[in-house]
């Protein structure tokens, strides 16, 4: 936020403090205090705020997981800060594109975009990407409509209170980590091989 934007903010905010009771099967009841600017208690009831708070998992955590895992942003390979920023913006652009397709796919159905599979949407889009990029306008519209129909049919299985263990799936390799530039390591390896000849 720039200094000008900060100066435009009001000096005082009126907020509402709400006590939410979060209940999940198999867990103790949690009591959470939420401070919000949604002041109308008739329109924004405690029950609605509790549901909204519960949805933060899919809105934030699952979206970050899709960015890091599904779109492979977990390990950035760029060498300069400018390229790292471009890499992050490219991933965010791809994420927004896929989410837009999901929202378009559910616009005429009873489902929500969060009930659709993000990974399946990515796979369907990748399959049709060449056709969307190389065909004429009429065929592009047909491909786009076909894509939306396919995406709308790939619903997630709703598993309430699903919990997955945070473990690594792949076993580590029996090699040490690379902690020096490749050129230095190659030089060391060449010296070692000359010693043993």
């Amino acid at each position: 936020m720039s200094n000008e934007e900060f100066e435009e903010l009001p000096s005082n905010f009126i907020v509402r403090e709400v006590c939410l009771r979060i209940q999940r099967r198999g867990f103790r009841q949690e009591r959470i205090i939420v401070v919000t600017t949604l002041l109308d208690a008739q329109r924004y009831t405690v029950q609605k705020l509790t549901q909204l708070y519960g949805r933060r998992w899919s809105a934030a955590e699952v979206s970050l997981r899709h960015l890091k895992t599904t779109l492979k942003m977990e390990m950035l390979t760029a060498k300069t800060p400018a390229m790292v920023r471009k890499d992050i913006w490219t991933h965010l652009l791809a994420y927004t594109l896929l989410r837009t397709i999901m929202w378009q796919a559910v616009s005429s159905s009873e489902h929500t975009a969060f009930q659709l599979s993000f990974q399946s949407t990515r796979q369907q889009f990748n399959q049709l990407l060449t056709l969307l990029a190389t065909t004429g306008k009429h065929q592009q519209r047909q491909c786009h409509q076909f894509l939306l129909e396919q995406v709308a049919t790939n619903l997630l299985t709703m598993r309430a209170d699903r919990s997955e263990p945070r473990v690594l799936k792949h076993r580590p390799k029996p090699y040490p980590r690379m902690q020096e530039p490749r050129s230095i390591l190659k030089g060391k390896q060449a010296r070692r091989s000359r010693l043993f000849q």
Side-chain angles (χ1 to χ4, degrees):
M1 178 182 302
S2 67
N3 289 335
E4 294 79 23
E5 289 171 325
F6 184 77
E7 291 299 325
E8 288 176 9
L9 292 174
S11 57
N12 295 318
F13 284 100
I14 297 174
V15 295
R16 176 176 159 216
E17 189 176 294
V18 183
C19 177
L20 307 181
R21 285 180 171 70
I22 310 295
Q23 293 179 339
R24 291 188 295 160
R25 196 174 62 227
F27 293 89
R28 289 184 185 165
Q29 181 181 14
E30 284 183 76
R31 188 171 161 265
I32 298 169
I33 305 293
V34 172
V35 178
T36 178
T37 55
L38 302 173
L39 303 177
D40 189 350
Q42 302 295 320
R43 186 172 180 191
Y44 305 107
T45 63
V46 174
Q47 290 80 18
K48 285 184 180 177
L49 289 174
T50 304
Q51 289 173 348
L52 187 63
Y53 185 83
R55 287 187 194 153
R56 83 198 184 288
W57 178 257
S58 61
E61 297 296 329
V62 174
S63 296
L64 285 172
R65 187 191 70 200
H66 282 313
L67 268 170
K68 286 166 55 178
T69 307
T70 311
L71 296 180
K72 309 217 182 329
M73 198 180 89
E74 200 165 33
M75 183 74 78
L76 298 175
T77 57
K79 305 256 188 243
T80 63
M83 287 305 292
V84 168
R85 278 192 288 277
K86 288 177 184 176
D87 207 354
I88 291 170
W89 280 113
T90 304
H91 279 89
L92 289 172
L93 182 65
Y95 177 83
T96 305
L97 172 67
L98 293 172
R99 280 290 178 202
T100 303
I101 291 169
M102 293 167 77
W103 282 105
Q104 289 174 344
V106 296
S107 63
S108 60
S109 75
E110 69 277 2
H111 302 295
T112 67
F114 291 107
Q115 292 175 295
L116 300 179
S117 168
F118 187 86
Q119 173 72 314
S120 178
T121 302
R122 186 186 69 81
Q123 291 168 344
Q124 296 283 346
F125 179 73
N126 282 343
Q127 286 179 349
L128 291 174
L129 186 58
T130 305
L131 281 173
L132 286 167
T134 59
T135 57
K137 293 271 187 213
H138 179 69
Q139 289 173 314
Q140 282 178 347
R141 275 190 230 106
Q142 286 179 330
C143 284
H144 183 254
Q145 189 57 41
F146 178 74
L147 173 64
L148 297 182
E149 289 167 7
Q150 291 299 307
V151 168
T153 61
N154 292 311
L155 296 175
L156 290 171
T157 306
M158 297 316 266
R159 293 169 278 191
D161 300 326
R162 178 180 174 205
S163 176
E164 295 290 340
R166 293 183 71 90
V167 294
L168 292 173
K169 184 176 177 182
H170 300 289
R171 297 198 182 282
K173 301 279 190 274
Y175 303 110
R177 291 194 177 273
M178 185 178 201
Q179 296 178 333
E180 294 177 295
R182 193 176 298 275
S183 58
I184 293 173
L185 289 173
K186 282 183 177 180
K188 285 181 180 179
Q189 185 179 8
R191 271 181 257 134
R192 256 188 257 125
S193 63
R194 272 186 255 125
L195 284 174
F196 291 110
Q197 285 181 353

